[in-house]
Amino acid sequence: MKKEMLLIWCLLFFLYLNSSFCQVNSGFQKSNEDYGSLSYNDAEHPCISEEQYLLIEKRCKENIQMLKLNGMVNRNSPEAILFNWPLKAANGLNDCSFYRVSAYVDQNTSSGSFQDFNCGTNTYDAHRGTDISIWPFNFYKMDHDLVEVIAAAPGIILDKHDGEFDKNCAANNLTANYLIIRHADGSQANYWHMKKNSLTKKAIGQSVVAGEFLGIVGSSGSSSGPHLHFEVWAGSTVATRIDPFAGNCNTLNATSWWANQKSYMETGIVKVSVNTTDIVYPACPATETPNESDTYQIPFQGAGLAPGFAKFYIFIRDELVGLTANMSILNPDGTTFTSWTYMSTAASKTKINGFSKKLPTTPGVYTFMANYNGTSCSKAFKITTATHTVNLNHENKSIIYPNPSNGNFILEFKENVATEIEIYNLLGVLVYRATIIKPISEFNLNLPANVYLYQLRNKNNVTDTGKLLIE
């Protein structure tokens, strides 16, 4: 019995690492662990059910007839349509990339077997479209409208549906928010699972150009997370479906329908970030908390981190065994502040690694950079210090100026409550102590340039605290 349970567990773990599915399901993962996904869609629970396909065919047939009567559908053009990528980053999204292909078209028509156009297994049984997941932080991107669905080719809107719930986390029988575009050659593209109330305001019969906004990536219908199901028909029925990707195992069509076909695996860095603490991945469909920041004021203390440390994250797509990620923090002048490496020991569709590293203490704009498989991604962040005394107790009992200084400063009391000043470095070591004689006192410190903390004392009681920067 124990042996049988062990075999079952190993099989489940293997399927987890090699799952082909409709969409990524976000879950909390510790730093340096695979950010994988579980499969919820299969032949029994597809992205689009047979009933929905029949309804789509019926609606499209009726709309074609209606539009032909109005002269809005022209005779099919002999020139084949070529597609551009159907997603784009919205204004404000500056990640190096924002997606991954989580399932291609299934080329194997045998029940219980599946194969993608490249003879691989990045699909699932009876899958008829290409699933493009947004990643990382899929619900965060969805909530903030950061990834747009755009027209892959020009055409007219043949059908559309909106208003459905858009935060599903598992396979179901619900209807998705979708839009269907008919092209001049008689083919049509189906854009599925979009965000509620995000679809273009254009009506059925109106034309769109390539690259035009159609909606926002969502998780409506039978979906386990935000993604676009992009499905292409050569005609007006699902029986005419094609696979836009050309490959040795594509049995549906001989040539690519992409203007520029992307690589089967896009192994590389998708994003890097500098974080105040660990990323929070709640259960689906709650929104992730990235905890990213562009500015760090010294001294810095992140939740759960050592004093002066921040988290530096890299996000790898289509990780391969044996590849090395080279990471570095660059000074404002381009020299290296510190560097480190990470070697991939297992293949994974998505991988997140977080590293705790000491922040620089000299003010300026720094760069976190990562290289993996010939791809580079970088993120600028700023180190600042207080330009004047910050009273940590918020009681405004004293002021130190100038701050920053070269070590010469004046301490001025608003209340004559202290008899002694103590100064500590960022490690908590006492580096200076002096008696305070009068409410306005001048001090000359012979200390290295850095950030320090001061305490004002009256006998055994701390009466005031603050930061002091020596340049």
Side-chain angles (χ1 to χ4, degrees), residues 337-357:
F337 172 77
T338 188
S339 62
W340 66 99
T341 61
Y342 157 77
M343 177 173 285
S344 299
T345 57
S348 58
K349 291 185 176 182
T350 56
K351 185 65 172 290
I352 299 177
N353 281 289
F355 307 89
S356 296
K357 295 295 177 180

Side-chain angles (χ1 to χ4, degrees), residues 219-394:
S219 191
S220 57
S222 185
S223 172
S224 55
H227 75 291
L228 173 68
H229 175 92
F230 180 71
E231 185 169 331
V232 181
W233 298 355
S236 56
T237 66
V238 66
T240 67
R241 74 188 185 284
I242 63 97
D243 186 341
F245 291 88
N248 292 333
C249 287
N250 185 341
T251 61
L252 298 173
N253 45 284
T255 60
S256 174
W257 282 46
W258 295 107
N260 293 289
Q261 180 168 309
K262 293 181 178 293
S263 300
Y264 176 65
M265 293 181 66
E266 295 185 86
T267 301
I269 298 285
V270 170
K271 174 184 174 69
V272 298
S273 65
V274 188
N275 301 55
T276 59
T277 187
D278 291 312
I279 298 168
V280 178
Y281 289 103
C284 180
T287 300
E288 309 90 349
T289 304
N291 287 320
E292 297 180 47
S293 180
D294 294 331
T295 304
Y296 294 81
Q297 182 171 297
I298 303 300
F300 172 76
Q301 177 63 68
L305 302 179
F309 280 71
K311 292 300 288 282
F312 292 79
Y313 279 93
I314 61 171
F315 302 78
I316 300 175
R317 174 177 59 201
D318 294 332
E319 182 182 26
L320 295 176
V321 176
L323 295 184
T324 299
N326 296 293
M327 292 153 284
S328 58
I329 299 173
L330 303 180
N331 292 312
D333 63 0
T335 59
T336 300
F337 172 77
T338 188
S339 62
W340 66 99
T341 61
Y342 157 77
M343 177 173 285
S344 299
T345 57
S348 58
K349 291 185 176 182
T350 56
K351 185 65 172 290
I352 299 177
N353 281 289
F355 307 89
S356 296
K357 295 295 177 180
K358 186 71 176 289
L359 288 166
T361 56
T362 303
V365 177
Y366 293 77
T367 302
F368 173 40
M369 177 173 288
N371 298 278
Y372 185 83
N373 193 37
T375 65
S376 297
C377 191
S378 62
K379 174 69 175 179
F381 64 99
K382 183 183 293 186
I383 296 295
T384 66
T385 56
T387 57
H388 55 81
T389 297
V390 176
N391 186 289
L392 301 183
N393 291 329
H394 306 287

Side-chain angles (χ1 to χ4, degrees), residues 379-442:
K379 174 69 175 179
F381 64 99
K382 183 183 293 186
I383 296 295
T384 66
T385 56
T387 57
H388 55 81
T389 297
V390 176
N391 186 289
L392 301 183
N393 291 329
H394 306 287
E395 295 175 0
N396 297 322
K397 294 178 180 179
S398 64
I399 184 171
I400 285 181
Y401 59 91
N403 192 9
S405 74
N406 60 4
N408 297 320
F409 65 91
I410 295 174
L411 171 64
E412 181 176 343
F413 287 111
K414 292 186 178 181
E415 298 177 23
N416 189 12
V417 294
T419 58
E420 190 176 71
I421 182 172
E422 294 179 345
I423 297 178
Y424 296 82
N425 63 21
L426 293 180
L427 297 178
V429 177
L430 179 66
V431 294
Y432 181 83
R433 175 187 286 133
T435 301
I436 299 173
I437 307 296
K438 48 189 177 180
I440 299 179
S441 302
E442 184 174 353

